[in-house]
Amino acid sequence: MGRIQVMPEALANQIAAGEVVERPASCVKELVENSLDAGARSVRVELEEGGIRRIRVQDDGSGMDEQDLTLAFARHATSKIRSARDLFRIATLGFRGEALASIAAVARVTLASRPADRETGYEVAVAGSEPAGPPVPVGMPPGTVMDVQDLFYNTPARLKYLRSVATERARCVEAVQRAALGRPDVRFRAEVDGRTVFQSPGSGDLLAVIAALYGAGEAGHVLPVHGETADYQVRGYIGRPVQAKATRAHGHLFINGRPIRNLSVHQAVVAGYRDRLMVNRHPMYVLHLTMDPALVDVNIHPHKSEVRFSEERDLMRVVEEAVRAALDEAFLAPSPRLPRDGGTPRTDRPMQGQLFAPTSAPRGAVEPSGGPQAVGSRAPVARETRDALYQVAPGGDGRDCALPVRRSLSLEETAAAAEMAPANAAVAGQPLTGEPSAEAVSERRPDTWQLRPIGQALGMYVIADDGVDLYVIDQHAAHERVLYERFSQRMASEDGLRVELLTPLPVHLTPSEAAVLEPHRPLLAEMGLELEPFGGSDYVLRAIPDVWDGLDALTLVQELIAGLSEDGRQADVKRAIRDRIVMRACKAAIKANHRLSDLEMHALCDALAALDDPFHCPHGRPVFLRLTSRQLEKEFRRIV
């Protein structure tokens, strides 16, 4: 007897189900997508024991008749695909015809449905792919109810690898929230053990959904994004740099309404922020991309969560430019969080750091040298004179002024918080208009914006005002930004000169580093960095960009090569490499504990105010904090 046999259908269904239903959240995603494809305007998801014990999804969609109920659980049965041509223009969320069959293979399922033009609905029960009997009549409103119980009851090995109930519950709620961000015109409601934990208004306002998910305070600070070409349209919101998170989990991307994951598009969003993000921080965003379905293949992953684009670089360029334009138009100066009512910090707006933090120094301690410095004369100094005087200053101990940032909650912490916290504003009956508070309005920088230095504090901060608000400027970050933009303009204009080295320097690379460098050598030479092969994986450095003159060229070359593989994946490789060269040159910026003269502070403030982006150093740290006159008036009780 041969060893090859056809597996029993029930076993084959259980194995196939593993591709579609990994955990309760996978089940929630598939059922919610079916509801949306059915034209539902309201979707309600109920969970028990994190969805392991029970998942119930009710919608008001088109519903199914008795004949459709009989076929609904058959594998590869679908109403959305008729021919092979349809695979290249898929406009629905579900289309494979696997979801219900896969769920029914590993759970006890009851499906009840009624079309709007019928007076009676029908119900069918299935367990382990085996129908309990023919559909029976049942009274119900128009729409569909899917009741999934005892998930993985017949596959205990799968059940063993699930996470805690709290984690699985959080993932299920996240699936509902992601669907709400994708369809703000549909009202979603998620209930956990009989208690509502999330609800979206269904008004069609994406900002209102963001407010329901992240809170009105956070939503009040996001920036709108708009971009459009002949093939692509980009719409949505991005967070300010101070709203960046520790993980990529807060980046939401939708292609023609479908939630997807795509590293290239995420990198395009990050590239749009350029140097406004701190290291290891990820932007918060909700972006909807609309395109011809023929330009995207959604049939490459069982979960339909990954796609392939026919013109990926074009799309990345559109996304990057749209994100950059949104950030360029906004006034991105972070404000400090001031204590109120016994030192309790305010949490009504996102903060980068706390200006007046408690100090550990004992009362009466002697102030260190380089402390507050008053400027006695404020006579105007010609801008040309200041620029001439303000040369790169040496010295300092190089201490950076790292500010505390808000920590993102882990998945388990979020789940625990959801259990303890009351229902959100929409659930509590409070309106969610999506409108930011008066203080959160994204004002634009005045065309004639000028900074007037008042003095230097703690050896590393310049205090200045613009006639309206007060600014605390990190002198090292500010000078880095000034140098970065000046060097960038010089490199981009191709006016930058190369400096020939009198004595060529040997550069020893590993074979893998040499492999990364080789395809980029012509581009590097075009930018003034000439590396000549010297046998094996060794090279000789013969010329450097003039912006590197006077710096440790060998160290800068090693640092540059270490990032070339990442730059090669960017939409604009040339600009990415140019930025990396300029970033290395910014090491010449003045450091902390360097005393600045009156002329130097004026020159720094004038140069800073004239920059395209004065808000962030090349590494993403804030250049200054803004203390508005309104905040000051509140703190001094001039206004209530």
Side-chain angles (χ1 to χ4, degrees):
M1 180 178 177
R3 292 183 297 173
I4 298 178
Q5 301 181 35
V6 177
M7 287 188 297
E9 183 176 356
L11 177 59
N13 287 342
Q14 289 179 7
I15 294 174
E19 297 182 355
V20 179
V21 185
E22 289 183 332
R23 57 186 352 112
S26 306
C27 182
V28 171
K29 174 182 179 293
E30 296 290 347
L31 297 181
V32 167
E33 287 181 351
N34 281 347
S35 296
L36 295 176
D37 284 341
R41 308 299 298 179
S42 176
V43 179
R44 179 179 179 180
V45 179
E46 302 172 57
L47 305 170
E48 293 182 14
E49 294 185 15
I52 303 170
R53 174 69 181 87
R54 186 185 189 195
I55 299 171
R56 186 177 186 272
V57 178
Q58 179 178 0
D59 66 58
D60 60 353
S62 58
M64 294 178 282
D65 59 20
E66 182 179 2
Q67 182 179 0
D68 286 339
L69 282 182
T70 304
L71 293 174
F73 293 97
R75 186 162 296 282
H76 306 306
T78 177
S79 63
K80 302 160 188 176
I81 297 292
R82 297 299 186 202
S83 67
R85 282 186 310 177
D86 296 338
L87 291 175
F88 300 100
R89 302 191 64 86
I90 295 172
T92 54
L93 298 175
F95 56 88
R96 292 170 177 259
E98 296 176 340
L100 295 186
S102 296
I103 294 170
V106 292
R108 309 181 199 277
V109 179
T110 301
L111 169 60
S113 191
R114 173 196 158 190
D117 59 352
R118 302 290 180 90
E119 294 184 358
T120 303
Y122 279 85
E123 181 180 275
V124 63
V126 180
S129 299
E130 295 296 329
V136 297
V138 63
M140 61 177 297
T144 299
V145 178
M146 273 288 298
D147 198 331
V148 180
Q149 299 187 34
D150 301 329
L151 192 62
F152 303 134
Y153 79 97
N154 55 354
T155 53
R158 299 275 305 281
L159 191 64
K160 181 175 64 175
Y161 285 101
L162 292 181
R163 299 285 187 89
S164 66
V165 170
T167 297
E168 297 299 338
R169 177 166 57 241
R171 291 185 185 274
C172 290
V173 174
E174 285 175 0
V176 179
Q177 293 169 337
R178 195 175 299 115
L181 290 170
R183 290 292 302 273
D185 59 320
V186 176
R187 184 170 61 254
F188 288 88
R189 185 185 185 99
E191 298 181 7
V192 172
D193 299 326
R195 182 172 53 85
T196 300
V197 296
F198 173 78
Q199 180 170 304
S200 67
S203 62
D205 182 3
L206 177 58
L207 193 58
V209 182
I210 296 175
L213 178 56
Y214 290 103
E218 192 92 322
H221 291 82
V222 297
L223 304 172
V225 173
H226 305 280
E228 191 167 355
T229 66
D231 294 322
Y232 305 105
Q233 184 184 77
V234 182
R235 294 289 185 272
Y237 293 91
I238 60 173
R240 294 167 180 260
V242 294
Q243 294 175 280
K245 310 297 182 182
T247 70
R248 296 206 306 254
H250 301 274
H252 302 279
L253 181 65
F254 300 88
I255 305 294
N256 295 338
R258 179 188 306 280
I260 66 127
R261 298 188 304 267
N262 186 275
L263 181 59
S264 296
V265 177
H266 175 80
Q267 290 176 335
V269 174
V270 173
Y273 280 79
R274 297 188 74 175
D275 47 31
R276 295 179 171 106
L277 286 176
M278 293 182 66
V279 177
N280 297 325
R281 305 295 291 180
H282 301 273
M284 163 190 170
Y285 59 86
V286 181
L287 293 181
H288 283 256
L289 309 183
T290 305
M291 64 190 71
D292 189 321
L295 295 176
V296 56
D297 183 2
V298 301
N299 195 28
I300 66 171
H301 194 275
H303 295 165
K304 308 180 293 293
S305 59
E306 297 179 9
V307 298
R308 181 186 295 115
F309 300 106
S310 60
E311 301 292 341
E312 186 172 86
R313 285 192 177 272
D314 290 344
L315 176 60
M316 290 173 63
R317 188 173 293 109
V318 173
V319 172
E320 179 180 342
E321 291 175 354
V323 170
R324 181 174 298 129
L327 292 165
D328 287 345
E329 294 177 1
F331 193 84
L332 300 175
S335 296
R337 178 168 50 189
L338 299 179
R340 180 179 62 182
D341 298 335
T344 302
R346 293 184 179 179
T347 58
D348 54 21
R349 56 187 307 176
M351 298 302 158
Q352 184 71 21
Q354 187 167 326
L355 179 60
F356 302 120
T359 177
S360 59
R363 184 182 300 273
V366 179
E367 188 176 39
S369 60
Q373 171 188 343
V375 178
S377 172
R378 297 197 178 97
V381 179
R383 182 181 294 263
E384 294 79 7
T385 304
R386 297 173 192 161
D387 287 343
L389 288 171
Y390 192 63
Q391 303 298 325
V392 175
D397 63 357
R399 287 193 296 120
D400 287 339
C401 314
L403 298 174
V405 294
R406 288 166 50 177
R407 180 176 65 89
S408 298
L409 295 179
S410 67
L411 190 64
E412 287 76 7
E413 290 172 321
T414 303
E419 290 186 358
M420 300 175 60
N424 58 40
V427 176
Q430 302 174 15
L432 282 176
T433 63
E435 295 296 327
S437 62
E439 292 187 4
V441 174
S442 175
E443 72 271 40
R444 302 181 65 175
R445 180 168 43 148
D447 294 333
T448 59
W449 189 53
Q450 287 186 325
L451 289 171
R452 180 177 64 102
I454 299 171
Q456 186 182 25
L458 306 179
M460 47 189 167
Y461 302 111
V462 174
I463 312 300
D465 70 49
D466 62 359
V468 178
D469 301 322
L470 189 67
Y471 296 83
V472 181
I473 304 170
D474 182 331
Q475 65 188 39
H476 174 70
H479 194 202
E480 271 193 321
R481 187 72 216 184
V482 170
L483 294 180
Y484 176 81
E485 291 206 8
R486 287 181 180 174
F487 292 160
S488 294
Q489 291 169 4
R490 189 187 306 177
M491 295 281 291
S493 65
E494 299 183 355
D495 291 335
L497 302 175
R498 52 189 279 151
V499 177
E500 300 282 349
L501 299 181
L502 294 178
T503 303
L505 300 175
V507 179
H508 304 288
L509 303 178
T510 65
S512 60
E513 289 174 332
V516 170
L517 167 66
E518 195 57 35
H520 298 296
R521 270 202 316 116
L523 187 56
L524 291 172
E526 182 183 331
M527 298 180 186
L529 186 62
E530 184 179 343
L531 287 158
E532 181 180 299
F534 196 63
S537 58
D538 291 339
Y539 290 80
V540 173
L541 179 63
R542 296 194 176 277
I544 60 173
D546 65 340
V547 297
W548 282 11
D549 194 17
L551 301 176
D552 184 353
L554 279 180
T555 300
L556 297 182
V557 167
Q558 294 284 357
E559 293 176 354
L560 177 70
I561 294 174
L564 280 180
S565 59
E566 179 182 340
D567 294 337
R569 295 193 295 267
Q570 301 299 320
D572 191 336
V573 178
K574 183 175 181 179
R575 184 174 62 193
I577 295 177
R578 185 175 62 227
D579 284 350
R580 194 171 291 276
I581 290 175
V582 173
M583 288 276 283
R584 306 278 78 75
C586 293
K587 291 179 177 291
I590 57 174
K591 304 300 189 292
N593 286 336
H594 177 81
R595 294 290 296 272
L596 299 179
S597 68
D598 186 7
L599 291 178
E600 287 175 326
M601 282 189 286
H602 274 88
L604 179 61
C605 288
D606 283 349
L608 189 64
L611 296 180
D612 292 335
D613 176 17
F615 308 108
H616 309 89
C617 82
H619 309 289
R621 293 194 301 112
V623 168
F624 52 75
L625 297 178
R626 179 177 63 157
L627 189 59
T628 67
S629 55
R630 181 177 177 83
Q631 284 177 298
L632 287 171
E633 289 172 347
K634 282 186 175 181
E635 296 305 321
F636 284 106
R637 302 297 189 266
R638 289 180 175 270
I639 60 176
V640 179

